[in-house]
Amino acid sequence: MKKSLSLIALLAAIYSGFSQDSGKRNEIKFNIANTIAIASVEFGYERFFDEHQSLEAVLLFNDRINYHSEKGSREFKTQSYKLGYNYYFGQENAGSGLFVNPFVKLRNGEFIENDDRVDPEQPLITDMNTFMIGIGGGYKWNFNDTFVLGPFINVARNFSEEVKDRFSAIEFNAGFNIGYRF
Protein backbone atom coordinates (compact mmCIF):
# COMPACT_ATOMS: atom_id res chain seq x y z
CA MET A 1 0.00 0.00 0.00
CA LYS A 2 2.88 2.37 0.79
CA LYS A 3 4.31 1.78 -2.69
CA SER A 4 0.92 2.54 -4.25
CA LEU A 5 0.74 5.81 -2.34
CA SER A 6 4.28 6.63 -3.45
CA LEU A 7 3.27 6.09 -7.08
CA ILE A 8 0.24 8.36 -6.66
CA ALA A 9 2.49 11.06 -5.13
CA LEU A 10 4.90 10.68 -8.06
CA LEU A 11 2.05 11.08 -10.54
CA ALA A 12 0.82 14.19 -8.73
CA ALA A 13 4.33 15.67 -8.86
CA ILE A 14 4.59 14.94 -12.59
CA TYR A 15 1.19 16.52 -13.15
CA SER A 16 1.96 19.68 -11.19
CA GLY A 17 5.48 19.99 -12.63
CA PHE A 18 4.35 20.59 -16.20
CA SER A 19 3.05 23.94 -17.37
CA GLN A 20 -0.67 24.08 -17.99
CA ASP A 21 -2.02 25.03 -21.39
CA SER A 22 -5.41 25.01 -23.09
CA GLY A 23 -5.07 21.41 -24.43
CA LYS A 24 -5.97 18.29 -22.52
CA ARG A 25 -2.60 16.84 -21.58
CA ASN A 26 -3.60 14.22 -19.00
CA GLU A 27 -5.25 10.85 -19.37
CA ILE A 28 -6.36 8.23 -16.90
CA LYS A 29 -7.05 4.73 -18.21
CA PHE A 30 -8.26 1.33 -17.12
CA ASN A 31 -7.64 -2.07 -18.78
CA ILE A 32 -11.17 -3.44 -18.83
CA ALA A 33 -10.30 -6.62 -20.77
CA ASN A 34 -7.90 -8.09 -18.19
CA THR A 35 -10.21 -7.23 -15.32
CA ILE A 36 -12.99 -9.23 -16.97
CA ALA A 37 -10.80 -12.10 -18.23
CA ILE A 38 -8.37 -12.77 -15.36
CA ALA A 39 -9.29 -10.44 -12.46
CA SER A 40 -6.13 -8.37 -12.96
CA VAL A 41 -6.58 -4.65 -12.33
CA GLU A 42 -4.52 -2.13 -14.32
CA PHE A 43 -4.80 1.62 -13.78
CA GLY A 44 -2.73 4.06 -15.81
CA TYR A 45 -1.91 7.74 -16.09
CA GLU A 46 -0.50 9.36 -19.21
CA ARG A 47 0.97 12.86 -19.55
CA PHE A 48 1.29 14.29 -23.08
CA PHE A 49 4.21 16.51 -24.12
CA ASP A 50 2.83 17.22 -27.58
CA GLU A 51 0.49 15.58 -30.11
CA HIS A 52 2.75 12.56 -30.61
CA GLN A 53 4.57 11.91 -27.30
CA SER A 54 3.68 11.03 -23.74
CA LEU A 55 4.99 9.40 -20.58
CA GLU A 56 2.87 6.84 -18.78
CA ALA A 57 2.77 5.20 -15.37
CA VAL A 58 0.71 2.05 -14.81
CA LEU A 59 -0.10 0.23 -11.59
CA LEU A 60 -1.04 -3.46 -11.97
CA PHE A 61 -2.66 -5.51 -9.20
CA ASN A 62 -2.70 -9.33 -9.44
CA ASP A 63 -0.22 -9.11 -12.32
CA ARG A 64 -0.19 -12.60 -13.82
CA ILE A 65 2.71 -13.72 -15.95
CA ASN A 66 1.57 -14.83 -19.43
CA TYR A 67 -2.02 -15.27 -18.24
CA HIS A 68 -1.24 -18.30 -16.07
CA SER A 69 -4.30 -19.68 -14.35
CA GLU A 70 -5.04 -19.61 -10.65
CA LYS A 71 -7.03 -22.86 -10.88
CA GLY A 72 -6.80 -25.28 -8.03
CA SER A 73 -4.44 -24.25 -5.27
CA ARG A 74 -2.44 -21.59 -7.13
CA GLU A 75 -2.49 -17.90 -6.32
CA PHE A 76 -0.64 -14.82 -7.56
CA LYS A 77 -0.02 -12.20 -4.86
CA THR A 78 1.76 -9.68 -7.09
CA GLN A 79 1.67 -6.06 -8.09
CA SER A 80 3.69 -4.22 -10.69
CA TYR A 81 4.73 -0.71 -11.61
CA LYS A 82 5.31 0.20 -15.24
CA LEU A 83 6.89 3.39 -16.64
CA GLY A 84 6.80 3.91 -20.37
CA TYR A 85 7.15 6.33 -23.25
CA ASN A 86 4.50 6.45 -25.97
CA TYR A 87 4.97 7.72 -29.49
CA TYR A 88 1.79 8.16 -31.56
CA PHE A 89 1.81 8.02 -35.36
CA GLY A 90 -1.74 9.41 -35.86
CA GLN A 91 -2.22 12.74 -37.64
CA GLU A 92 -5.85 13.67 -36.89
CA ASN A 93 -6.11 13.96 -33.10
CA ALA A 94 -3.42 14.34 -30.47
CA GLY A 95 -2.49 11.02 -28.87
CA SER A 96 -4.42 8.80 -31.25
CA GLY A 97 -3.76 6.19 -33.92
CA LEU A 98 -1.00 3.60 -33.91
CA PHE A 99 1.55 3.90 -31.10
CA VAL A 100 4.74 2.27 -29.88
CA ASN A 101 5.55 1.93 -26.17
CA PRO A 102 9.05 1.08 -24.86
CA PHE A 103 8.89 0.58 -21.07
CA VAL A 104 10.44 -0.66 -17.85
CA LYS A 105 8.45 -2.64 -15.31
CA LEU A 106 9.05 -3.71 -11.72
CA ARG A 107 7.04 -6.54 -10.16
CA ASN A 108 6.96 -7.64 -6.54
CA GLY A 109 5.11 -10.35 -4.71
CA GLU A 110 4.90 -14.12 -4.78
CA PHE A 111 3.23 -17.06 -6.46
CA ILE A 112 1.85 -19.68 -4.07
CA GLU A 113 1.13 -23.22 -5.17
CA ASN A 114 -0.03 -26.13 -3.03
CA ASP A 115 1.44 -29.29 -4.50
CA ASP A 116 -0.31 -32.32 -3.00
CA ARG A 117 2.37 -34.63 -4.41
CA VAL A 118 5.05 -33.20 -2.12
CA ASP A 119 3.48 -31.91 1.09
CA PRO A 120 -0.10 -30.57 1.21
CA GLU A 121 0.70 -28.54 4.33
CA GLN A 122 3.75 -26.83 2.83
CA PRO A 123 3.00 -24.69 -0.27
CA LEU A 124 5.61 -24.00 -2.93
CA ILE A 125 6.37 -20.27 -3.03
CA THR A 126 8.02 -18.53 -5.98
CA ASP A 127 9.49 -15.08 -5.37
CA MET A 128 8.09 -12.99 -8.25
CA ASN A 129 10.26 -9.89 -7.64
CA THR A 130 11.78 -8.92 -10.98
CA PHE A 131 12.83 -6.05 -13.22
CA MET A 132 11.67 -6.07 -16.86
CA ILE A 133 12.40 -4.20 -20.06
CA GLY A 134 9.88 -4.37 -22.86
CA ILE A 135 8.14 -2.88 -25.84
CA GLY A 136 4.52 -2.66 -26.76
CA GLY A 137 2.18 -1.18 -29.27
CA GLY A 138 -1.44 -0.66 -30.04
CA TYR A 139 -4.06 1.62 -31.44
CA LYS A 140 -5.98 4.38 -29.69
CA TRP A 141 -9.21 6.07 -30.72
CA ASN A 142 -9.70 9.58 -29.37
CA PHE A 143 -13.29 10.88 -29.19
CA ASN A 144 -13.58 14.69 -28.89
CA ASP A 145 -10.29 14.80 -26.99
CA THR A 146 -12.20 13.44 -23.99
CA PHE A 147 -12.82 9.69 -24.19
CA VAL A 148 -10.23 7.24 -25.50
CA LEU A 149 -10.18 3.51 -26.06
CA GLY A 150 -8.10 0.94 -27.82
CA PRO A 151 -6.27 -2.39 -27.80
CA PHE A 152 -2.61 -2.94 -26.94
CA ILE A 153 -0.05 -5.72 -26.67
CA ASN A 154 3.28 -5.82 -24.78
CA VAL A 155 6.22 -8.18 -24.64
CA ALA A 156 8.91 -7.93 -21.94
CA ARG A 157 12.03 -9.72 -20.75
CA ASN A 158 12.30 -10.36 -17.01
CA PHE A 159 15.65 -10.69 -15.27
CA SER A 160 14.79 -12.96 -12.34
CA GLU A 161 16.31 -16.45 -12.37
CA GLU A 162 13.59 -17.78 -10.06
CA VAL A 163 10.78 -16.45 -12.28
CA LYS A 164 12.52 -17.75 -15.42
CA ASP A 165 12.93 -21.21 -13.83
CA ARG A 166 9.26 -21.47 -12.77
CA PHE A 167 7.60 -19.68 -15.69
CA SER A 168 9.45 -17.99 -18.58
CA ALA A 169 11.92 -15.20 -19.29
CA ILE A 170 9.58 -13.64 -21.87
CA GLU A 171 6.26 -12.17 -20.73
CA PHE A 172 3.22 -11.13 -22.77
CA ASN A 173 0.42 -8.78 -21.80
CA ALA A 174 -2.47 -7.47 -23.83
CA GLY A 175 -5.72 -5.70 -23.17
CA PHE A 176 -8.21 -3.03 -24.07
CA ASN A 177 -7.98 0.34 -22.32
CA ILE A 178 -10.78 2.79 -21.76
CA GLY A 179 -9.77 6.27 -20.66
CA TYR A 180 -10.65 9.87 -19.97
CA ARG A 181 -8.66 12.99 -20.91
CA PHE A 182 -8.59 16.16 -18.87
Side-chain angles (χ1 to χ4, degrees):
M1 187 65 171
K2 288 181 182 180
K3 291 181 183 182
S4 299
L5 293 175
S6 298
L7 181 63
I8 291 169
L10 174 65
L11 292 176
I14 290 171
Y15 174 73
S16 65
F18 292 108
S19 63
Q20 297 297 312
D21 56 22
S22 59
K24 295 181 179 179
R25 298 281 186 196
N26 304 289
E27 178 180 306
I28 54 173
K29 54 190 171 182
F30 173 67
N31 181 352
I32 189 80
N34 283 353
T35 300
I36 293 169
I38 61 170
S40 174
V41 179
E42 299 178 27
F43 291 108
Y45 170 79
E46 201 167 334
R47 173 67 183 180
F48 290 88
F49 297 113
D50 61 28
E51 292 182 351
H52 300 286
Q53 301 179 81
S54 69
L55 286 179
E56 75 171 351
V58 180
L59 180 59
L60 302 94
F61 296 100
N62 193 27
D63 184 20
R64 294 211 226 153
I65 182 171
N66 294 334
Y67 297 99
H68 278 275
S69 170
E70 286 189 323
K71 286 183 181 176
S73 299
R74 298 186 294 185
E75 181 181 9
F76 283 89
K77 290 187 173 186
T78 56
Q79 66 181 19
S80 297
Y81 310 95
K82 176 186 164 197
L83 294 173
Y85 167 81
N86 293 321
Y87 186 84
Y88 292 89
F89 298 99
Q91 298 298 320
E92 292 181 18
N93 294 327
S96 64
L98 287 173
F99 67 91
V100 65
N101 172 242
F103 63 88
V104 294
K105 184 175 171 183
L106 183 64
R107 180 192 304 117
N108 59 35
E110 55 191 23
F111 174 72
I112 302 168
E113 182 175 27
N114 285 319
D115 189 352
D116 293 336
R117 296 169 295 176
V118 179
D119 183 1
E121 300 297 320
Q122 188 68 10
L124 301 171
I125 298 175
T126 303
D127 180 5
M128 297 296 289
N129 296 347
T130 188
F131 173 77
M132 292 172 257
I133 296 176
I135 190 159
Y139 193 90
K140 190 181 287 186
W141 290 278
N142 178 350
F143 299 98
N144 296 324
D145 203 26
T146 302
F147 295 102
V148 293
L149 37 101
F152 69 90
I153 187 165
N154 297 322
V155 62
R157 168 74 160 83
N158 79 60
F159 293 95
S160 165
E161 290 297 324
E162 190 169 351
V163 174
K164 286 190 293 186
D165 290 344
R166 174 59 180 89
F167 296 102
S168 171
I170 305 298
E171 298 188 20
F172 297 96
N173 183 33
F176 193 90
N177 281 327
I178 57 173
Y180 177 76
R181 292 223 176 129
F182 57 97

